[in-house]
């Protein structure tokens, strides 16, 4: 018996992602090379990005209830049939950390509409963290669960995960000279209160907030007001997790989940964390 044995379609999708992520993790050892390709956002792909994408595509589309597999590594969604659920994934988030042997992850969102879809169409979301151990965070029905994927069968590590009340860490991405003045002023305040911890893989940088509390941002930049992170594959699923964990998300102007879906690879400024910190951020960016 595993935590995903209920027979529900969502559980079957979660079981598939959990299973496939062990193959992805194993492949990291062999695939630390750069490929000759770039992804649809113009970033260099690692061989491991391509391998993870292919593994998830095959596994996720094998489920008849999945209509579409959309990936940060592909220009367009892949249609698999008439299934009612549509899975969007960043198969290997933070793969540039392969070179330095730092943590990275896999992000997924299960939408009821074909991506590009609204964050409000998510019925489940979460991420796998390839850290010293492999864990999976899942948000659904407004609840967050933490699973251990190390053993043959996934095990529940913690139910009803919520952000701690007393936040202690922050991590802000983007180069500082490129931060807009209002964000820079906010950052200067936060660094007097919280401890900086930034590792360059969003999954690792936001997972620590579920343990310690705090705030993560990849803000809109002077030269790139839309920021770096992708709404369908990164912003929406992580906002869905944080809002279910009692925290908040913001583009700087309201919940990330309310951002209008315009294109598959659109970017949006991303801020998630304890609700009071996100409120202060929104006030600072007004
Ligand atoms: O989207 C890819 C990604 O690696 C994220 O995981 C991470 O938050 C961000 O890019 C890091 O970007 P930078 O190198 O600009 O800090």
């Amino acid at each position: 018996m595993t935590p995903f044995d209920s027979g529900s379609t969502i559980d079957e999708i979660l079981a598939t992602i959990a299973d496939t992520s062990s193959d992805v993790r194993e492949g990291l050892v062999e695939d630390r090379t750069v490929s000759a390709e770039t992804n649809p956002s113009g970033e260099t792909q690692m061989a491991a990005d391509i391998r993870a994408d292919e593994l998830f595509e095959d596994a996720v589309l094998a489920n008849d209830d999945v209509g579409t597999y959309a990936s940060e590594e592909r220009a367009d969604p892949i249609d698999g049939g008439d299934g009612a659920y549509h899975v969007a994934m960043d198969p290997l988030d933070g793969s540039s950390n392969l070179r330095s042997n730092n943590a990275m992850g896999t992000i997924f969102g299960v939408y009821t509409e074909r991506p590009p879809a609204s964050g409000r169409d998510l019925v489940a979301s979460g991420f796998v963290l390839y850290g010293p151990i492999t864990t999976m965070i899942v948000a659904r029905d407004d609840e967050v669960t933490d699973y251990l994927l190390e053993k043959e069968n996934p095990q529940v590590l913690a139910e009803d995960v919520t952000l701690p009340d007393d936040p202690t860490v922050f991590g802000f991405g983007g180069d500082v000279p490129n931060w807009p003045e209002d964000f820079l002023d906010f950052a200067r305040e936060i660094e007097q209160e919280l401890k900086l911890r930034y590792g360059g893989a969003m999954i690792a940088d936001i997972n620590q907030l579920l343990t310690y509390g705090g705030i993560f941002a990849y803000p809109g930049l002077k030269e790139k007001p839309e920021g770096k992170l992708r709404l369908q594959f990164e912003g929406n699923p992580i906002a869905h997790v944080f809002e279910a964990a009692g925290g908040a998300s913001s583009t700087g102007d309201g919940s990330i989940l309310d951002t209008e879906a315009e294109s598959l690879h659109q970017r949006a400024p991303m801020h998630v964390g304890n609700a009071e910190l996100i409120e202060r951020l929104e006030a600072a960016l007004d």
Side-chain angles (χ1 to χ4, degrees), residues 72 90 93-94 96 173-174 198 200-203 216 218 228-230 234:
E72 191 175 294
D90 181 353
D93 172 69
S96 62
Y198 185 77
M202 193 260 283
I203 283 312
F216 168 85
Y218 207 110
K228 177 177 186 189
L229 302 180
R230 272 123 309 199
E234 297 172 307

Side-chain angles (χ1 to χ4, degrees), residues 1 28 43 46 67 97-98 122 128 146 149 156-157 178 180 182 184 209 214 216 220 227-228 241 259 271:
M1 184 81 183
L28 297 179
E43 295 159 350
M46 304 292 289
N97 271 0
L98 270 170
L122 280 168
V128 176
D146 189 5
L149 302 187
V156 174
L157 278 179
N178 215 344
D182 49 4
L184 183 63
L209 303 185
F216 168 85
K228 177 177 186 189
V241 168
T259 311
H271 316 85

Side-chain angles (χ1 to χ4, degrees), residues 76-87:
D76 300 303
I78 311 293
D79 292 315
D82 299 331
Y85 296 104
H86 307 272
V87 179

Side-chain angles (χ1 to χ4, degrees), residues 127 136-138 144-146 161-164 169 203-214 238 241-247 273-274:
F127 58 87
M136 178 159 86
I137 289 282
V138 175
V144 176
T145 310
D146 189 5
V161 175
T162 53
L163 284 157
V169 299
I203 283 312
D205 290 327
I206 57 106
N207 186 68
Q208 64 179 352
L209 303 185
L210 296 173
T211 307
Y212 302 120
I238 301 308
V241 168
F242 272 73
E243 295 193 15
N274 285 67

